[in-house]
Amino acid sequence: MARIAVIGAGSWGTALAVLMAGNGHQIRLWSHDPEQVAALLDAGENRTFLPGIELPETIRPTASLAAALADANGVLVAVPSQFFGDVLGALAPVLPPEMGVLWATKGFDPESGQLLHELVLERTGQRALAVLSGPSFAGEVARGLPTAVTLAATSMAFAEQCAAWVRSERFRAYTHDDLIGVQVGGAAKNVLAIATGIADGLGFGANTRAALITRGLAELIRLGAALGARRETFMGLGGLGDLVLTCTDDQSRNRRLGLALARGETTSVALAAIGQEVEGVVTARAVHRMAREHRIEMPISEQVHAVLYEGQTPEAATRQLLERSNRAELD
Protein backbone atom coordinates (compact mmCIF):
# COMPACT_ATOMS: atom_id res chain seq x y z
CA MET A 1 0.00 0.00 0.00
CA ALA A 2 1.20 3.49 -0.87
CA ARG A 3 1.34 6.77 1.03
CA ILE A 4 0.04 9.41 -1.36
CA ALA A 5 -0.11 13.19 -1.04
CA VAL A 6 -3.19 14.62 -2.74
CA ILE A 7 -2.62 18.32 -3.40
CA GLY A 8 -5.97 20.08 -3.61
CA ALA A 9 -9.07 19.52 -1.48
CA GLY A 10 -11.73 20.56 -3.97
CA SER A 11 -14.35 18.14 -5.24
CA TRP A 12 -12.00 16.26 -7.58
CA GLY A 13 -9.06 16.02 -5.19
CA THR A 14 -11.37 14.84 -2.42
CA ALA A 15 -13.05 12.26 -4.67
CA LEU A 16 -9.70 10.81 -5.75
CA ALA A 17 -8.53 10.77 -2.13
CA VAL A 18 -11.66 8.80 -1.16
CA LEU A 19 -11.12 6.43 -4.09
CA MET A 20 -7.49 5.72 -3.20
CA ALA A 21 -8.24 5.42 0.50
CA GLY A 22 -10.85 2.82 -0.43
CA ASN A 23 -8.05 0.91 -2.17
CA GLY A 24 -6.16 0.75 1.12
CA HIS A 25 -3.72 3.62 0.60
CA GLN A 26 -2.75 6.19 3.23
CA ILE A 27 -3.71 9.67 2.02
CA ARG A 28 -2.57 13.13 3.09
CA LEU A 29 -5.10 15.61 1.67
CA TRP A 30 -3.63 19.10 1.36
CA SER A 31 -5.59 22.35 1.30
CA HIS A 32 -4.07 25.85 1.16
CA ASP A 33 -6.74 26.99 3.63
CA PRO A 34 -6.25 26.04 7.31
CA GLU A 35 -9.93 26.80 7.97
CA GLN A 36 -10.95 24.24 5.35
CA VAL A 37 -8.61 21.70 6.93
CA ALA A 38 -10.23 22.33 10.32
CA ALA A 39 -13.69 21.90 8.76
CA LEU A 40 -12.65 18.62 7.12
CA LEU A 41 -11.34 17.28 10.41
CA ASP A 42 -14.40 18.45 12.33
CA ALA A 43 -17.09 17.23 9.91
CA GLY A 44 -15.38 14.13 8.55
CA GLU A 45 -16.51 15.16 5.08
CA ASN A 46 -15.94 17.95 2.55
CA ARG A 47 -19.21 19.81 3.07
CA THR A 48 -18.19 22.64 0.74
CA PHE A 49 -17.30 20.65 -2.36
CA LEU A 50 -18.46 17.06 -1.82
CA PRO A 51 -21.18 16.99 0.86
CA GLY A 52 -22.48 13.67 2.06
CA ILE A 53 -19.32 11.69 1.28
CA GLU A 54 -17.64 10.41 4.43
CA LEU A 55 -13.86 10.73 4.56
CA PRO A 56 -12.21 7.42 5.53
CA GLU A 57 -9.96 7.48 8.57
CA THR A 58 -6.96 6.86 6.30
CA ILE A 59 -7.35 10.39 4.85
CA ARG A 60 -5.49 12.97 6.93
CA PRO A 61 -6.17 16.59 5.93
CA THR A 62 -3.32 19.08 6.33
CA ALA A 63 -2.45 22.66 5.38
CA SER A 64 1.28 21.89 5.30
CA LEU A 65 2.89 20.75 2.04
CA ALA A 66 5.88 19.44 3.99
CA ALA A 67 3.58 17.31 6.16
CA ALA A 68 1.67 16.10 3.10
CA LEU A 69 4.90 14.94 1.42
CA ALA A 70 6.53 13.47 4.53
CA ASP A 71 7.28 9.77 3.84
CA ALA A 72 5.04 9.87 0.74
CA ASN A 73 5.50 7.35 -2.06
CA GLY A 74 3.64 9.51 -4.56
CA VAL A 75 1.89 12.80 -5.23
CA LEU A 76 -1.28 13.67 -7.10
CA VAL A 77 -2.04 17.33 -7.89
CA ALA A 78 -5.71 18.26 -8.32
CA VAL A 79 -5.97 22.05 -8.20
CA PRO A 80 -7.59 24.37 -10.78
CA SER A 81 -5.36 25.17 -13.76
CA GLN A 82 -5.07 28.86 -12.87
CA PHE A 83 -3.38 27.90 -9.57
CA PHE A 84 -1.41 24.95 -10.90
CA GLY A 85 1.86 26.80 -11.54
CA ASP A 86 1.89 28.55 -8.16
CA VAL A 87 1.17 25.30 -6.32
CA LEU A 88 4.00 23.58 -8.20
CA GLY A 89 6.35 26.38 -7.18
CA ALA A 90 5.42 25.88 -3.52
CA LEU A 91 5.63 22.10 -3.89
CA ALA A 92 9.07 22.02 -5.52
CA PRO A 93 11.18 22.57 -2.35
CA VAL A 94 9.59 19.60 -0.56
CA LEU A 95 9.23 17.30 -3.58
CA PRO A 96 11.87 14.52 -3.63
CA PRO A 97 13.90 14.68 -6.87
CA GLU A 98 13.20 11.04 -7.70
CA MET A 99 9.41 11.31 -7.24
CA GLY A 100 7.22 11.49 -10.32
CA VAL A 101 4.23 13.83 -10.50
CA LEU A 102 0.69 12.76 -11.36
CA TRP A 103 -1.98 15.41 -11.87
CA ALA A 104 -5.71 15.37 -12.48
CA THR A 105 -6.04 19.05 -13.44
CA LYS A 106 -7.60 19.78 -16.84
CA GLY A 107 -6.52 22.99 -18.50
CA PHE A 108 -3.65 25.07 -19.83
CA ASP A 109 -1.54 27.60 -17.97
CA PRO A 110 -3.67 30.74 -18.28
CA GLU A 111 -0.70 33.10 -18.50
CA SER A 112 1.60 31.33 -20.95
CA GLY A 113 -0.80 28.90 -22.64
CA GLN A 114 1.63 26.08 -21.82
CA LEU A 115 0.50 22.51 -21.41
CA LEU A 116 0.66 21.48 -17.76
CA HIS A 117 3.46 18.97 -18.24
CA GLU A 118 5.65 21.86 -19.43
CA LEU A 119 4.90 23.70 -16.20
CA VAL A 120 5.76 20.64 -14.09
CA LEU A 121 9.16 20.33 -15.76
CA GLU A 122 9.76 24.08 -15.56
CA ARG A 123 8.88 24.40 -11.86
CA THR A 124 10.06 21.06 -10.45
CA GLY A 125 12.78 19.77 -12.80
CA GLN A 126 13.12 16.62 -14.88
CA ARG A 127 11.08 13.73 -13.51
CA ALA A 128 8.45 11.13 -14.49
CA LEU A 129 5.11 12.70 -15.47
CA ALA A 130 1.53 11.44 -15.71
CA VAL A 131 -1.94 12.91 -16.17
CA LEU A 132 -5.29 11.36 -15.26
CA SER A 133 -8.17 12.46 -17.47
CA GLY A 134 -11.37 11.24 -19.07
CA PRO A 135 -15.13 11.27 -18.41
CA SER A 136 -15.35 11.45 -14.62
CA PHE A 137 -17.59 13.60 -12.45
CA ALA A 138 -16.19 13.84 -8.92
CA GLY A 139 -19.46 13.02 -7.16
CA GLU A 140 -19.99 9.82 -9.12
CA VAL A 141 -16.42 8.66 -8.48
CA ALA A 142 -16.76 9.37 -4.76
CA ARG A 143 -20.02 7.40 -4.63
CA GLY A 144 -18.39 4.42 -6.31
CA LEU A 145 -20.32 4.56 -9.57
CA PRO A 146 -18.58 2.73 -12.46
CA THR A 147 -16.10 5.02 -14.21
CA ALA A 148 -13.38 4.59 -16.85
CA VAL A 149 -10.54 7.08 -17.39
CA THR A 150 -7.24 7.30 -19.20
CA LEU A 151 -3.86 7.78 -17.54
CA ALA A 152 -1.10 9.00 -19.84
CA ALA A 153 2.53 9.11 -18.76
CA THR A 154 6.08 9.60 -19.96
CA SER A 155 6.75 5.92 -19.29
CA MET A 156 4.51 2.89 -19.10
CA ALA A 157 6.14 1.89 -15.80
CA PHE A 158 5.05 5.16 -14.19
CA ALA A 159 1.63 4.92 -15.86
CA GLU A 160 1.10 1.47 -14.33
CA GLN A 161 2.30 2.64 -10.91
CA CYS A 162 -0.19 5.53 -10.90
CA ALA A 163 -2.99 3.40 -12.33
CA ALA A 164 -2.50 0.90 -9.51
CA TRP A 165 -3.27 3.65 -6.97
CA VAL A 166 -6.70 4.42 -8.45
CA ARG A 167 -7.89 1.17 -10.03
CA SER A 168 -10.74 -0.59 -8.28
CA GLU A 169 -13.69 -2.81 -9.13
CA ARG A 170 -15.64 0.33 -10.09
CA PHE A 171 -12.85 2.52 -11.46
CA ARG A 172 -10.96 1.48 -14.58
CA ALA A 173 -7.79 3.35 -15.53
CA TYR A 174 -6.50 2.64 -19.03
CA THR A 175 -2.84 3.54 -19.61
CA HIS A 176 -1.72 5.70 -22.52
CA ASP A 177 1.50 7.22 -23.86
CA ASP A 178 0.17 10.36 -25.59
CA LEU A 179 0.68 12.87 -22.79
CA ILE A 180 -0.01 15.84 -25.07
CA GLY A 181 -3.20 14.47 -26.62
CA VAL A 182 -4.78 13.49 -23.32
CA GLN A 183 -4.04 16.94 -21.88
CA VAL A 184 -5.44 18.79 -24.90
CA GLY A 185 -8.62 16.70 -24.89
CA GLY A 186 -9.22 17.20 -21.18
CA ALA A 187 -8.68 20.95 -21.38
CA ALA A 188 -10.27 22.11 -24.64
CA LYS A 189 -13.46 20.07 -24.27
CA ASN A 190 -14.52 22.45 -21.48
CA VAL A 191 -14.81 25.30 -24.00
CA LEU A 192 -17.03 23.16 -26.20
CA ALA A 193 -19.22 22.24 -23.22
CA ILE A 194 -19.94 25.95 -22.74
CA ALA A 195 -20.98 26.13 -26.41
CA THR A 196 -23.30 23.15 -26.04
CA GLY A 197 -24.85 24.62 -22.91
CA ILE A 198 -25.53 27.85 -24.79
CA ALA A 199 -27.17 25.97 -27.66
CA ASP A 200 -29.35 23.92 -25.35
CA GLY A 201 -30.24 27.03 -23.35
CA LEU A 202 -31.40 28.69 -26.55
CA GLY A 203 -33.63 25.69 -27.26
CA PHE A 204 -31.84 24.46 -30.38
CA GLY A 205 -32.46 20.78 -29.66
CA ALA A 206 -30.73 17.44 -29.99
CA ASN A 207 -29.65 17.84 -33.62
CA THR A 208 -27.66 20.97 -32.77
CA ARG A 209 -26.11 19.31 -29.72
CA ALA A 210 -24.92 16.36 -31.81
CA ALA A 211 -23.50 18.69 -34.45
CA LEU A 212 -21.61 20.76 -31.88
CA ILE A 213 -20.10 17.68 -30.25
CA THR A 214 -19.01 16.23 -33.60
CA ARG A 215 -17.63 19.46 -35.04
CA GLY A 216 -16.13 20.23 -31.65
CA LEU A 217 -14.26 16.94 -31.80
CA ALA A 218 -12.81 18.07 -35.13
CA GLU A 219 -11.54 21.21 -33.39
CA LEU A 220 -9.90 19.15 -30.64
CA ILE A 221 -8.15 17.00 -33.24
CA ARG A 222 -6.88 20.02 -35.17
CA LEU A 223 -5.49 21.66 -32.04
CA GLY A 224 -3.98 18.44 -30.76
CA ALA A 225 -2.29 17.66 -34.08
CA ALA A 226 -0.76 21.14 -34.16
CA LEU A 227 0.69 20.60 -30.68
CA GLY A 228 2.10 17.16 -31.44
CA ALA A 229 -0.68 14.79 -30.33
CA ARG A 230 -1.88 11.72 -32.20
CA ARG A 231 -5.29 11.98 -33.86
CA GLU A 232 -6.46 8.59 -32.57
CA THR A 233 -6.04 9.73 -28.95
CA PHE A 234 -9.13 11.93 -29.39
CA MET A 235 -11.29 8.90 -30.21
CA GLY A 236 -10.72 7.55 -26.72
CA LEU A 237 -11.78 8.36 -23.17
CA GLY A 238 -9.56 11.42 -22.90
CA GLY A 239 -11.06 12.92 -26.05
CA LEU A 240 -14.50 11.88 -27.25
CA GLY A 241 -15.46 10.30 -23.92
CA ASP A 242 -14.78 13.42 -21.89
CA LEU A 243 -16.29 15.67 -24.57
CA VAL A 244 -19.60 13.78 -24.60
CA LEU A 245 -19.81 13.77 -20.80
CA THR A 246 -19.26 17.48 -20.31
CA CYS A 247 -21.49 18.50 -23.21
CA THR A 248 -24.51 16.43 -22.23
CA ASP A 249 -24.85 16.32 -18.44
CA ASP A 250 -25.76 19.18 -16.13
CA GLN A 251 -23.22 18.02 -13.53
CA SER A 252 -20.77 19.79 -15.85
CA ARG A 253 -20.05 23.28 -14.53
CA ASN A 254 -19.00 24.37 -18.02
CA ARG A 255 -22.29 23.25 -19.52
CA ARG A 256 -24.19 25.00 -16.71
CA LEU A 257 -22.32 28.21 -17.46
CA GLY A 258 -23.46 27.98 -21.08
CA LEU A 259 -27.05 27.45 -20.02
CA ALA A 260 -26.85 30.53 -17.78
CA LEU A 261 -25.35 32.67 -20.54
CA ALA A 262 -28.20 31.64 -22.84
CA ARG A 263 -30.66 32.87 -20.19
CA GLY A 264 -29.02 36.29 -20.41
CA GLU A 265 -26.95 36.11 -17.23
CA THR A 266 -23.52 37.73 -17.23
CA THR A 267 -20.45 35.55 -16.85
CA SER A 268 -19.71 36.94 -13.37
CA VAL A 269 -23.25 36.32 -12.11
CA ALA A 270 -23.29 32.80 -13.54
CA LEU A 271 -19.91 31.93 -12.03
CA ALA A 272 -21.00 33.22 -8.62
CA ALA A 273 -24.10 31.02 -8.75
CA ILE A 274 -22.08 27.93 -9.72
CA GLY A 275 -19.71 28.62 -6.83
CA GLN A 276 -16.73 26.57 -8.09
CA GLU A 277 -14.03 26.99 -10.70
CA VAL A 278 -15.28 26.68 -14.29
CA GLU A 279 -12.17 25.68 -16.21
CA GLY A 280 -13.58 26.53 -19.63
CA VAL A 281 -13.52 30.26 -18.87
CA VAL A 282 -9.74 30.52 -18.58
CA THR A 283 -9.19 27.73 -21.11
CA ALA A 284 -11.15 29.67 -23.76
CA ARG A 285 -8.46 32.36 -23.69
CA ALA A 286 -5.63 29.85 -24.03
CA VAL A 287 -7.34 28.00 -26.87
CA HIS A 288 -8.06 31.27 -28.67
CA ARG A 289 -4.39 32.24 -28.40
CA MET A 290 -3.12 28.86 -29.63
CA ALA A 291 -5.55 28.76 -32.54
CA ARG A 292 -4.26 32.15 -33.67
CA GLU A 293 -0.60 31.19 -33.19
CA HIS A 294 -0.95 27.91 -35.12
CA ARG A 295 -3.48 29.26 -37.67
CA ILE A 296 -6.05 26.62 -36.79
CA GLU A 297 -9.72 27.00 -37.60
CA MET A 298 -11.73 26.55 -34.38
CA PRO A 299 -14.97 28.41 -35.08
CA ILE A 300 -16.98 27.03 -32.14
CA SER A 301 -14.24 27.81 -29.64
CA GLU A 302 -13.77 31.22 -31.26
CA GLN A 303 -17.43 32.11 -30.69
CA VAL A 304 -17.26 30.97 -27.05
CA HIS A 305 -14.31 33.31 -26.59
CA ALA A 306 -16.30 36.10 -28.23
CA VAL A 307 -19.20 35.59 -25.82
CA LEU A 308 -16.97 35.44 -22.75
CA TYR A 309 -14.52 38.23 -23.59
CA GLU A 310 -15.70 40.32 -26.53
CA GLY A 311 -19.27 41.21 -25.62
CA GLN A 312 -20.82 38.91 -28.22
CA THR A 313 -24.34 37.73 -27.39
CA PRO A 314 -25.12 34.02 -27.56
CA GLU A 315 -27.63 34.71 -30.35
CA ALA A 316 -25.06 36.63 -32.42
CA ALA A 317 -22.47 33.89 -31.85
CA THR A 318 -24.97 31.35 -33.18
CA ARG A 319 -25.57 33.44 -36.28
CA GLN A 320 -21.84 33.66 -36.91
CA LEU A 321 -21.58 29.88 -36.91
CA LEU A 322 -24.65 29.35 -39.10
CA GLU A 323 -23.52 31.90 -41.66
CA ARG A 324 -20.11 30.30 -42.27
CA SER A 325 -19.52 29.22 -45.86
CA ASN A 326 -20.09 25.56 -46.73
CA ARG A 327 -17.07 23.25 -46.85
CA ALA A 328 -16.13 19.57 -47.13
CA GLU A 329 -16.59 17.82 -43.81
CA LEU A 330 -13.06 16.37 -43.65
CA ASP A 331 -11.21 19.60 -44.49
Side-chain angles (χ1 to χ4, degrees), residues 202-218:
L202 293 174
F204 288 158
N207 292 350
T208 304
R209 187 186 313 121
L212 284 171
I213 292 171
T214 308
R215 296 308 300 166
L217 178 62

Side-chain angles (χ1 to χ4, degrees), residues 12-34:
W12 193 211
T14 303
L16 290 170
V18 169
L19 170 68
M20 292 188 291
N23 289 342
H25 303 300
Q26 300 287 326
I27 307 298
R28 302 279 178 85
L29 180 61
W30 176 84
S31 168
H32 74 285
D33 183 0

Side-chain angles (χ1 to χ4, degrees), residues 301-318:
S301 301
E302 181 180 337
Q303 290 305 315
V304 172
H305 182 274
V307 171
L308 292 174
Y309 297 109
E310 300 170 20
Q312 181 88 291
T313 66
E315 293 82 1
T318 301

